[in-house]
Amino acid sequence: FGILGPLVHDYRLGMTVDCTQPLAIADGIERFVRQGPASFIDRGLACEFIATHSPRDFAKSILTSFAAA
């Protein structure tokens, strides 16, 4: 799920699906329609994430990891 998958999962920012699997994408769409966004998003954790993760800090962490590689 790449760089963003763990963030989406840990902070319950939405749903993750394996984008290489068409059936997983279809299942994710069906689950989202059936269950609604509230079942995948935790507003409290999302607000915490927003408060502690600025775009600048995110970019800095990515660039730092590339420089260390």
Side-chain angles (χ1 to χ4, degrees):
F1 296 99
I3 281 179
L4 297 179
L7 292 174
V8 170
H9 180 265
D10 293 350
Y11 286 92
R12 291 191 30 104
L13 300 172
M15 175 193 316
T16 58
V17 296
D18 184 348
C19 66
T20 66
Q21 301 296 318
L23 291 177
I25 295 169
D27 179 58
I29 292 169
E30 288 179 9
R31 284 188 305 144
F32 188 84
V33 169
R34 276 195 314 269
Q35 299 174 9
S39 63
F40 302 102
I41 300 169
D42 181 313
R43 287 185 179 263
L45 287 176
C47 288
E48 176 186 327
F49 178 83
I50 291 167
T52 59
H53 293 82
S54 72
R56 178 173 288 195
D57 289 342
F58 182 70
K60 181 179 177 183
S61 69
I62 291 173
L63 294 174
T64 300
S65 68
F66 282 133

